[in-house]
Amino acid sequence: MCGIIGYVGHQQALPILIEGLKKLEYRGYDSSGVGIICLDEPKIMIRKCEGKICNLQELLKTHGLPESTIGISHTRWATHGVPSRVNAHPHSDCSGKILVVHNGIIENYQELKSVLVKKGHKFLSQTDTEVIAHLIEEHSEKDFLTAVQKTIRQLRGAFALGVIHSDHPETLIAARIGSPLIIGLGKNENFIASDVPAILDRTAKVIYLKDGELALLRKNLVQVYTFAGKSVRPKIDQVSFTVGSVHKEGFAHFMLKEIHEQPNVLTQMFSSRIKGFQIHLEGLQLTDAELKGFDQMMIVACGTAYHAGLVGKYIIEKLAGISVAVDVSSEFRYRSPIITPKTLILAISQSGETADTLAAVKEAKAKGAKIISICNVLGSSLARESDGVLYTHAGPEIGVASTKAYTAQLAMLYLLALKLSRVRKKISRKTSQELIKDLKEIPSLYQRILKHTQSISRIGHDNAHFGCFLFLGRNLNFPSALEGALKLKEISYIPAEGYAAGEMKHGPIALIDEYRAVVCIAVQSDTYEKMISNIEEIRSRRGKIIAIATEGDDSIKERVHEVIYIPSTNPLLTPLLVALPLQLIAYSIATKRGCDVDQPRNLAKSVTVE
Ligand code: F6R
C-alpha cells in the first residue's frame, strides 16, 4: 500500500526521493507526491499528481523544485477520498510550514477534524492524513519533536509517518505504529522508507523502527524514542540481500523473474534447514516437548498465504496427526475461535505487515496462545509479534502476485510437518527419510518445468480470449486450484474460480459450455480416477480443458484440449510442482492481454489496512 521515502543529508533530495518512490511502485498506488524545504527562504514546496510516478516526473519537468537536501515523498493507495491530486500526499497545515506523508489509517480522524475545524483550521483534502499536519500546527508552540509527539498520542489507528517543518529545515521526524517504516543510515545522510528496496542502492544499514517508536533524523544524527518520550537504543541491521534482487535482471517482469528464482529459493532453504535427514527449524523457539504437547493448530493468513496454509492443513494432519483449522485472518478474529493452552497458532505472511493477519495474531495472543509464523521479510511486525519465526529467506518479492513466496511458504510447511511428525513419532524414520529425499529433488524438478516456459506460455496465449476460467483440483491440490484462480484473476482481471473438483456438480457445472476454460489439476494421486470422471463431465458439456498431469500419463491427452506435464514425484509434494505451471498460465494470459502484471490495478503488495 502507500509508500513513503524521506531524505535528509548532503545530496540533492529530489532525485533520491523520486528514485526511491519508483522502487516502491510494486506496493500499489494511484497517485504520488513529493515535498521539500526550499532552504533559501526557507519554505515548503510540493508537487503531486494522480496516476503513475512518470506523471509526477513530467510535472517536475515543467514545474521544477529548487535545490534542497531535505524532503519527503509518497505513493498513495486511496482509503479516505478518491485518487486525485488534492488527496495525494504530502499534506500541509494552515501555516503551510508543515508537511506530512502517511501510510495507514487514522481511525479517529473525523472527531479530531471536527475539533480542528471548530478552531478555524481549513482542510483541503478528504484524507485522514491532513488532520496530522493541522494537529502538529496546533502544538507548534512546543518544539518540533514535542509537537509531533503530542500529536501522535492523540491518533488512533495504524500509521507510519514522515514529517518536515520549514522552521526546522535540518530535521525529519518519523514514527510508526502498525504500518512498516525503516530508517536507512548513510554517511552524512539518513533516510526513511516503507521498505528496504527503496534505499538499498544507497545504504544497507537499517533500523527497523518498532511499533510505538518515533525517530528524529538529521544528516548526521538519528535518535529514537518511544511515543511516551523515552529514549531508545535502536538495533542496527545489515540487509543481507543485494541490489540485484530488486532489479529485473533481464526478465520482462519481476513476476517472471521471481517465478524463475524458485529453484534457487528452495535449494537454499533445504541446504540450510536439512542436515543429513534432520530438519533444523532455528527460529521456531519451541522445544520437542512443546511440539509434542499441542493438540490443535490454527493457521491464519490472507490470499496466497492462506492457500499455502490450506495445503499445510492437509500435510500436517496427514504426517503429524494434529488437527489443523485454517482461517482467513480477517474472519478469524470475529468467529470466537476456541483457543486452549494446547493450541498452536501459525501465521503465514510474505510481508509480515498484513494488517488482518497481525490483528488475528494479536487476538490469539490475547487469548494466551503461542504464536509461530512463517514470514519472508526480516524484522517485520509479524516476526516481532511471534514467539517463534521461520523465515523463508526468498528475497524481496516485488511482483504484486505472490509466486516464490508461496512456494517457499509451502516448502517451509513441509519441513514443519516433517519435524512435527518425527517429534510425535507419527511416521517411520524410513518414510520420513524418503520424503526428505523427494523434497530435496524439487528444485531440480522446477528446472525441468521451467524449461517448458515457452510451451506453457503458448497454451496461455492461445486461451487468453476466454472470459471465464474454472480451476479444479482435489485433496491437497484443491488449494492449488484456489491459488491458480487467484493468480489469474489478480493479474489478468478475468473472472476465475477455484473449486474442489468434487464440488463442481453442486453448482459450478452450470457455468460450463464451449465458452469456458477449465484448468484441471489431474496429477497422479489417490484421487486421479475421480478427477478423470470430472474431466469427462466437463468434456461432455464442451468446456475447454487444460490439464496439468504427470509425465507419462499419455491417456489424458485424448480427453482434454491441452496438457501441461509436471515431473513425477511423491503425490504429497505435488502442490509444490503444480504451482509453477499455474503461475506461468496466469502470467502468459495476463501479458497476452496487455495487463500490467507487476502492478495490477487496485492491488497493493503489502496490505497494511484492515
Ligand atoms: C496474491 C497475493 C496476496 C497476498 C496477501 C497476503 O498473489 O500476493 O493475496 O498473499 O495479500 O499477503 P502477505 O503474505 O504479505 O501477508
Side-chain angles (χ1 to χ4, degrees):
M1 292 195 150
C2 305
I4 291 176
I5 167 138
Y7 177 80
V8 53
H10 61 97
Q11 302 192 62
Q12 286 310 312
L14 191 59
I16 295 173
L17 297 175
I18 299 291
E19 248 177 65
L21 280 189
K22 287 188 92 78
K23 304 247 170 55
L24 293 175
E25 276 193 298
Y26 73 92
R27 295 170 69 84
Y29 69 104
D30 44 55
S31 50
S32 62
V34 58
I36 52 125
I37 300 177
C38 165
L39 299 172
D40 292 343
E41 306 214 12
K43 64 170 185 186
I44 56 166
M45 293 184 75
I46 312 173
R47 297 286 180 268
K48 46 190 193 176
C49 60
E50 206 186 323
K52 295 280 179 193
I53 292 166
C54 54
N55 299 353
L56 181 62
Q57 288 176 298
E58 281 306 310
L59 176 70
L60 285 163
K61 278 186 198 158
T62 51
H63 297 77
L65 286 172
E67 297 197 338
S68 171
T69 51
I70 179 164
I72 49 179
S73 62
H74 190 263
T75 46
R76 174 173 187 253
W77 189 89
T79 57
H80 296 68
V82 294
S84 68
R85 195 196 69 78
V86 172
N87 287 332
H89 301 207
H91 288 285
S92 189
D93 63 323
C94 298
S95 72
K97 290 184 171 185
I98 298 161
L99 270 191
V100 176
V101 288
H102 161 227
N103 172 16
I105 289 181
I106 308 301
E107 286 166 2
N108 57 338
Y109 86 101
Q110 278 294 16
E111 64 193 74
L112 293 169
K113 190 170 173 175
S114 328
V115 176
L116 288 162
V117 167
K118 275 190 200 132
K119 288 187 171 176
H121 287 262
K122 298 264 179 298
F123 283 77
L124 302 177
S125 76
Q126 299 145 349
T127 65
D128 50 344
T129 305
E130 203 180 341
V131 294
I132 304 170
H134 290 275
L135 273 178
I136 297 172
E137 182 184 20
E138 268 298 294
H139 298 302
S140 274
E141 79 285 359
K142 308 280 175 207
D143 64 275
F144 184 24
L145 180 65
T146 313
V148 178
Q149 270 168 338
K150 285 190 101 171
T151 298
I152 278 170
R153 288 189 215 123
Q154 288 178 268
L155 306 178
R156 265 203 326 269
F159 53 84
L161 300 180
V163 192
I164 52 177
H165 193 312
S166 57
D167 286 349
H168 306 272
E170 70 300 330
T171 305
L172 166 61
I173 295 184
R176 71 156 280 184
I177 186 155
S179 302
L181 200 67
I182 58 147
I183 295 171
L185 304 172
K187 252 199 199 137
N188 259 331
E189 57 183 358
N190 291 305
F191 309 80
I192 58 167
S194 297
D195 205 352
V196 174
I199 54 160
L200 193 55
D201 44 11
R202 309 257 165 207
T203 179
K205 251 167 119 190
V206 300
I207 295 169
Y208 294 95
L209 211 57
K210 293 188 186 144
D211 267 350
E213 283 183 354
L214 176 145
L216 180 144
L217 290 83
R218 296 205 175 112
K219 72 175 178 187
N220 43 21
L221 170 94
V222 173
Q223 287 171 333
V224 180
Y225 303 90
T226 62
F227 283 3
K230 197 169 152 253
S231 174
V232 173
R233 191 132 164 245
K235 180 169 170 283
I236 298 172
D237 281 287
Q238 189 74 25
V239 176
S240 55
F241 52 84
T242 59
V243 176
S245 52
V246 294
H247 289 117
K248 287 188 206 149
E249 294 182 320
F251 286 91
H253 295 97
F254 279 109
M255 180 177 177
L256 190 61
K257 178 191 169 216
E258 286 156 8
I259 289 173
H260 281 81
E261 281 173 354
Q262 292 174 105
N264 219 0
V265 170
L266 263 58
T267 303
Q268 287 190 6
M269 182 187 293
F270 296 152
S271 70
S272 67
R273 299 289 192 174
I274 305 173
K275 304 275 183 243
F277 288 108
Q278 296 294 323
I279 309 281
H280 291 264
L281 296 183
E282 277 80 18
L284 188 59
Q285 311 288 8
L286 291 172
T287 61
D288 286 1
E290 282 174 306
L291 287 176
K292 269 189 213 159
F294 297 111
D295 63 5
Q296 67 160 345
M297 266 178 82
M298 290 184 184
I299 299 181
V300 289
C302 303
T304 289
Y306 168 70
H307 298 151
L310 288 175
V311 176
K313 171 183 169 70
Y314 281 91
I315 55 180
I316 293 168
E317 289 186 341
K318 186 158 180 80
L319 293 176
I322 306 176
S323 119
V324 182
V326 192
D327 279 71
V328 283
S329 310
S330 52
E331 288 299 315
F332 175 82
R333 54 187 304 214
Y334 299 108
R335 77 161 170 91
S336 312
I338 296 162
I339 293 172
T340 74
K342 290 190 164 192
T343 306
L344 178 63
I345 301 286
L346 168 61
I348 308 175
S349 172
Q350 187 285 128
S351 62
E353 300 295 347
T354 301
D356 288 320
T357 301
L358 286 167
V361 160
K362 284 179 186 154
E363 183 77 18
K365 249 181 141 175
K367 292 188 169 166
K370 196 97 179 166
I371 315 284
I372 59 167
S373 58
I374 293 178
C375 187
N376 193 36
V377 176
L378 300 188
S380 62
S381 304
L382 178 62
R384 282 199 297 272
E385 284 292 333
S386 306
D387 298 301
V389 189
L390 296 172
Y391 282 116
T392 47
H393 295 295
E397 192 179 60
I398 307 289
V400 162
S402 188
T403 52
K404 63 174 178 173
Y406 173 65
T407 45
Q409 288 160 354
L410 288 184
M412 191 58 86
L413 284 160
Y414 282 98
L415 296 177
L416 179 63
L418 278 161
K419 175 84 183 176
L420 286 165
S421 70
R422 285 305 300 142
V423 170
R424 299 163 73 95
K425 304 212 177 348
K426 289 288 174 189
I427 57 171
S428 70
R429 186 172 297 273
K430 185 162 168 282
T431 310
S432 159
Q433 291 188 350
E434 277 168 8
L435 204 54
I436 290 173
K437 227 167 108 238
D438 291 337
L439 201 53
K440 286 166 83 175
E441 290 292 312
I442 295 289
S444 66
L445 303 186
Y446 274 4
Q447 301 283 16
R448 277 173 53 191
I449 296 173
L450 291 172
K451 280 201 183 117
H452 298 289
T453 299
Q454 272 200 345
S455 56
I456 299 172
S457 299
R458 197 270 307 151
I459 295 174
H461 292 166
D462 289 354
N463 292 283
H465 59 285
F466 280 100
C468 168
F469 274 74
L470 206 57
F471 286 74
L472 301 177
R474 280 178 173 264
N475 199 250
L476 35 63
N477 280 309
F478 160 47
S480 306
L482 295 176
E483 174 58 10
L486 175 63
K487 219 74 311 165
L488 181 65
K489 71 184 131 193
E490 68 180 330
I491 59 170
S492 73
Y493 320 135
I494 300 173
E497 283 213 61
Y499 252 92
E503 230 351 65
M504 182 182 65
K505 54 192 168 297
H506 300 288
I509 199 164
L511 291 174
I512 292 173
D513 60 21
E514 65 269 42
Y515 304 110
R516 321 287 157 170
V518 188
V519 177
C520 295
I521 303 167
V523 293
Q524 288 302 335
S525 70
D526 293 349
T527 53
Y528 177 75
E529 299 298 336
K530 297 219 184 311
M531 195 66 216
I532 292 297
S533 306
N534 297 135
I535 286 178
E536 290 299 342
E537 289 157 10
I538 301 161
R539 213 175 139 198
S540 48
R541 286 162 183 83
R542 299 193 308 278
K544 172 90 189 249
I545 305 173
I546 301 165
I548 298 177
T550 308
E551 277 171 9
D553 179 1
D554 291 330
S555 63
I556 200 165
K557 281 189 198 154
E558 288 150 30
R559 304 174 196 270
V560 302
H561 299 86
E562 306 274 11
V563 190
I564 299 169
Y565 285 111
I566 58 162
S568 172
T569 185
N570 185 320
L572 211 55
L573 301 181
T574 52
L576 278 167
L577 294 191
V578 162
L580 269 62
L582 291 172
Q583 294 164 356
L584 287 168
I585 290 174
Y587 174 79
S588 53
I589 291 178
T591 48
K592 175 78 181 177
R593 291 167 73 102
C595 300
D596 184 352
V597 288
D598 281 340
Q599 290 162 38
R601 68 183 183 202
N602 303 340
L603 290 181
K605 183 70 188 161
S606 180
V607 185
T608 49
V609 294
E610 278 184 64

